[in-house]
Amino acid sequence: MQSSDIRARFLEFFKKRNHTILSSASLVTTDEQGVTNTTLFNTAGMQPLVPYLLGKPHPEGNRLANVQKCVRTIDIDDIGDKTHATFFEMLGNWSLGDYFKKEAITWSYEFLTSKEEGLGLDPHRLYVTVFEGDANSPRDLEAAEAWKSLGVPEHRIYFKGAEANWWPAVKGKDTWTGPTGPCSEMFYDITESGLGDLTPEQFEQADSEQKIVEIWNDVFMEFEKKEGTIVGKLTQKNVDTGAGLERLAAVLQKKDNIYDTDLLKPVMDLMVKAPNSLSSKRIIADHLRASTFLIADGVIPSNTDRGYILRRLIRRAIINTTDKKLDEKRISMFIDTLVGIYEKSYPELLSKKEYIKGVLNEEAGKFGQVLVQGIKEFEKSAENLTPEVVFNLYTTHGLPFEIIKEMAKEKGLTIDEVAFEKALAQHQSLSRAGAEQKFKGGLSDVNDPMVLRYHTATHLLHQALHDVLGEGVGQKGSNITPERLRFDFSYGTKMTDEQKKKVEDIINEKITQHIPMKQVTMPRAQAEQTGARHFFGEKYGEEISIYFIGDTLDAAYSKEFCGGPHVSNTSELAGPEGKWRFKIQKEEAISQGVRRIKAVLG
Ligand code: SER
């Protein structure tokens, strides 16, 4: 069965059972969902529905179903195996205070096993788990009974604890805020000969060997958590189910992994001849698919939040290619193939195809420069990979730590992560100290995001004035408020309109190029060698903090001795909606040979 048939059958099945079919929400969470503090992307079909699961009436009724795009990065280290993906689609049906365990379980079973209306899976290959009970909620005999009444033998119903049968399951500290509850999961035997009955131990073993795969989860939401603690019962009992499309496709297409299904195989086929490992190929296929959907939903690579995750995905894809490169031709080939697979279900991909390629090309190009330089440096020092060397590769050469680690692993070397973390913490406290110092100077309030933006804009302006007016320009003063920046500089004559326009254009170009603002700290003598701008005659300490706009210090557009703080990417100067531009409002003389510019972002 093709994946498009699985989607269609699922929606049809629940439509017949009086569910309203919703279209997929964006991958990007919104403030209205009330989950943006805990999740940057929708990681499950229930997430866009959080307010309704908490009791707000849904305009489309209390029975809903959809196919939701999801991105989950919590499992990122598992990507490359048979069943994990950062991007996936989740089939889900919901009851908002309407039906509960009996109906949910019955419909899950019917959809999985019915040949006419569902997927026609073999009931003899099905295993289920239910919650064994704890202080929060009793042993789920109701769910077990529901399974038994459908003919699932008792010994194929496994009782398990909260780590497996409570949703969301918690890895590390529980920070979940939202609806929650015990769940019942369905597993399917994907071995050729069939495993038959399994003892609880054999069931665990088969799960860990990926001989059985979890294909559906029915959550019975009765509780509300705040910051990981149950704060009470929900006003209504809900059902939240989720079935991974990729896994169902694997099962139905008789594949032992999701990468051989019609959802990913065409992408994997593009790499048949490449000599990199199977898991690297899977990482590339997975990460480029996730990136494609994220870019289509408006995410752009940056150094913070969602943009950072996208950047990491793109960079990891590149690192996993044989030659650590994604050029235009390859990007085009991958995106054409991915869009070809998905355009019918997600037409927005087709209209944004060239845009997606453009964003990927730009990011891959930037990363290419970082890598060429960084890898050279890495090779030079691979013999002697001390914590200082690693830290220098990270700060001065912009090589992501994860990539340094991967390259070291390829060479059979290990890196002292603890020493790196320590160095990083020290580095960050130095930047903070710098920030406090600078705070006393021309910055009004470093906690104000506008002040940070104007501070970075000031660095751009300083460099752009040099570009347009020549090296004679020297900074004479700077003052920043949340409303504007003011910059005084030495220059003999009034700027022409054309010169002002040129300066604005350069800065706006840098803003739209999404260039990272980075910081390094180094001894003064070394700092002076970097060519970073500073005031002659000013007293600097022995340790100098340099802020630079670019991927690496060497290739940076602007570099200055500066205590910060700054935004982390020039794109942030474009404001929350990405529309602001830099404008010079006034250019005037304040004394003989000294000019003052007032400028705004807006
Ligand atoms: N929220 C549950 C899950 O993600 C069921 O949809 O598994």
Side-chain angles (χ1 to χ4, degrees):
M1 191 181 292
Q2 295 294 295
S3 43
S4 52
D5 295 331
I6 305 175
R7 287 192 199 98
R9 280 185 165 242
F10 178 81
L11 297 177
E12 193 51 39
F13 182 93
F14 283 98
K15 201 168 148 192
K16 267 205 187 143
R17 285 153 185 83
N18 297 323
H19 289 65
T20 304
I21 307 306
L22 305 175
S23 48
S24 173
S26 162
L27 281 168
V28 174
T29 49
T30 62
D31 287 343
E32 290 72 53
Q33 280 172 241
V35 294
T36 46
N37 286 340
T38 41
T39 48
L40 298 170
F41 301 119
N42 283 313
T43 60
M46 53 74 68
Q47 247 159 3
L49 298 172
V50 165
Y52 310 102
L53 293 160
L54 292 175
K56 183 174 165 188
H58 195 288
E60 302 288 348
N62 52 16
R63 289 186 183 197
L64 308 167
N66 86 346
V67 180
Q68 173 65 42
K69 300 179 273 190
C70 301
V71 162
R72 256 185 215 186
T73 49
I74 186 163
D75 297 325
I76 196 156
D77 291 329
D78 291 329
I79 312 296
D81 74 358
K82 292 177 176 178
T83 55
H84 286 94
T86 48
F87 170 89
F88 59 95
E89 290 168 88
M90 195 182 269
L91 314 177
N93 59 286
W94 292 275
S95 153
L96 304 174
D98 187 30
Y99 59 85
F100 205 44
K101 295 184 186 178
K102 174 87 180 148
E103 294 87 335
I105 287 173
T106 305
W107 288 335
S108 293
Y109 184 81
E110 281 177 9
F111 179 69
L112 289 176
T113 57
S114 160
K115 286 203 173 66
E116 297 72 40
E117 282 191 287
L119 305 179
L121 291 176
D122 180 358
H124 299 108
R125 284 178 172 260
L126 200 62
Y127 308 85
V128 303
T129 61
V130 295
F131 184 52
E132 72 175 8
D134 65 10
N136 293 322
S137 187
R139 192 172 174 83
D140 201 347
L141 298 172
E142 193 185 338
E145 275 313 311
W147 286 116
K148 269 193 253 171
S149 72
L150 292 162
V152 177
E154 200 161 350
H155 55 270
R156 285 192 175 218
I157 303 170
Y158 304 89
F159 284 88
K160 298 181 76 164
E163 69 295 338
N165 278 59
W166 191 279
W167 200 88
V170 176
K171 279 191 188 171
K173 188 173 156 21
D174 191 356
T175 55
W176 180 253
T177 293
T180 184
C183 61
S184 179
E185 296 188 324
M186 288 142 264
F187 288 75
Y188 199 71
D189 174 357
I190 54 168
T191 61
E192 224 175 290
S193 47
L195 297 168
D197 291 344
L198 299 172
T199 64
E201 293 72 35
Q202 289 168 331
F203 175 82
E204 295 300 325
Q205 182 72 13
D207 184 18
S208 67
E209 289 171 6
Q210 301 192 314
K211 289 181 174 165
I212 55 172
V213 281
E214 183 212 322
I215 48 174
W216 204 340
N217 185 13
D218 288 357
V219 186
F220 311 115
M221 294 184 156
E222 291 184 73
F223 303 94
E224 184 177 355
K225 269 189 182 175
K226 286 217 167 93
E227 300 279 327
T229 306
I230 293 186
V231 291
K233 285 218 163 194
L234 294 172
T235 50
Q236 61 190 27
K237 287 183 182 177
N238 306 306
V239 170
D240 154 42
T241 88
L245 178 66
E246 282 73 6
R247 293 186 183 184
L248 286 178
V251 165
L252 289 157
Q253 293 166 20
K254 301 220 172 334
K255 309 292 180 195
D256 73 349
N257 72 84
I258 60 171
Y259 294 90
D260 283 337
T261 67
D262 61 342
L263 292 166
L264 284 157
K265 181 81 167 44
V267 186
M268 294 298 286
D269 283 348
L270 297 174
M271 297 179 274
V272 183
K273 292 207 186 109
N276 51 352
S277 68
L278 178 61
S279 79
S280 280
K281 287 176 188 167
R282 288 176 174 171
I283 291 172
I284 295 169
D286 171 80
H287 286 13
L288 288 182
R289 180 174 66 157
S291 302
T292 298
F293 276 92
L294 287 172
I295 296 167
D297 276 348
V299 183
I300 43 171
S302 75
N303 280 348
T304 51
D305 301 337
R306 298 184 178 90
Y308 177 65
I309 291 177
L310 173 59
R311 171 161 285 167
R312 254 182 86 193
L313 290 170
I314 300 171
R315 292 185 168 195
R316 278 187 102 221
I318 294 173
I319 279 295
N320 277 281
T321 61
T322 315
D323 50 5
K324 314 236 178 296
K325 206 161 73 194
L326 272 183
D327 57 21
E328 267 189 68
K329 211 171 118 213
R330 281 191 195 162
I331 288 175
S332 197
M333 194 174 76
F334 277 116
I335 302 310
D336 287 344
T337 306
L338 278 161
V339 173
I341 299 169
Y342 284 100
E343 64 190 15
K344 283 218 179 73
S345 306
Y346 301 96
E348 69 271 20
L349 291 186
L350 192 58
S351 57
K352 291 188 179 157
K353 187 155 101 173
E354 293 312 312
Y355 170 73
I356 295 166
K357 287 182 189 175
V359 174
L360 283 170
N361 279 327
E362 194 180 318
E363 182 64 15
K366 272 191 211 161
F367 189 48
Q369 286 171 6
V370 173
L371 274 186
V372 168
Q373 197 49 37
I375 289 172
K376 248 194 238 158
E377 292 298 324
F378 178 87
E379 295 295 344
K380 266 198 239 161
S381 37
E383 299 287 286
N384 179 30
L385 222 45
T386 61
E388 294 73 42
V389 169
V390 170
F391 195 65
N392 191 40
L393 286 170
Y394 173 81
T395 48
T396 313
H397 299 285
L399 269 190
F401 183 56
E402 170 171 81
I403 283 158
I404 303 174
K405 246 182 6 191
E406 277 176 38
M407 292 200 301
K409 207 163 112 195
E410 271 173 29
K411 288 196 180 291
L413 303 167
T414 44
I415 281 178
D416 186 344
E417 286 194 36
V418 176
F420 176 79
E421 296 294 341
K422 260 200 202 147
L424 187 63
Q426 195 193 0
H427 169 79
Q428 282 162 346
S429 81
L430 268 176
S431 329
R432 269 194 297 277
E436 279 150 25
Q437 212 177 342
K438 181 80 190 187
F439 180 45
K440 294 190 213 121
L443 295 180
S444 65
D445 176 4
V446 291
N447 292 320
D448 189 316
M450 281 318 295
V451 169
L452 297 190
R453 288 187 177 106
Y454 279 126
H455 190 191
T456 304
T458 301
H459 282 216
L460 283 173
L461 174 63
H462 192 185
Q463 183 56 39
L465 286 170
H466 275 273
D467 292 354
V468 175
L469 304 178
E471 285 307 308
V473 170
Q475 176 169 346
K476 290 286 174 210
S478 162
N479 176 283
I480 292 166
T481 71
E483 287 77 38
R484 54 107 185 102
L485 68 80
R486 203 178 75 194
F487 188 75
D488 300 341
F489 60 100
S490 52
Y491 188 63
T493 53
K494 189 175 169 58
M495 284 173 77
T496 64
D497 286 349
E498 202 193 333
Q499 286 170 331
K500 282 190 269 183
K501 168 111 186 10
K502 255 198 194 151
V503 167
E504 286 175 344
D505 287 351
I506 292 175
I507 296 172
N508 285 320
E509 195 194 354
K510 301 298 171 195
I511 294 174
T512 47
Q513 282 172 347
H514 308 304
I515 310 173
M517 173 58 124
K518 298 187 186 174
Q519 191 247 11
V520 285
T521 309
M522 59 180 78
R524 192 175 57 206
Q526 198 186 336
E528 280 169 359
Q529 298 300 310
T530 63
R533 296 194 187 288
H534 53 286
F535 298 101
F536 293 99
E538 171 112 17
K539 287 223 181 330
Y540 288 101
E542 277 318 302
E543 277 297 297
I544 302 290
S545 158
I546 297 178
Y547 269 89
F548 62 94
I549 299 173
D551 280 306
T552 64
L553 183 58
D554 288 343
Y557 171 69
S558 135
K559 31 188 153 173
E560 287 196 28
F561 285 23
C562 174
H566 283 272
V567 299
S568 56
N569 192 291
T570 57
S571 61
E572 290 168 54
L573 273 49
E577 310 210 8
K579 293 192 187 128
W580 295 350
R581 292 295 170 260
F582 179 91
K583 287 186 209 85
I584 295 178
Q585 280 193 325
K586 209 172 191 179
E587 191 275 335
E588 61 187 334
I590 51 164
S591 65
Q592 182 64 33
V594 180
R595 320 265 332 155
R596 170 169 288 179
I597 281 180
K598 279 190 189 155
V600 292
L601 292 162

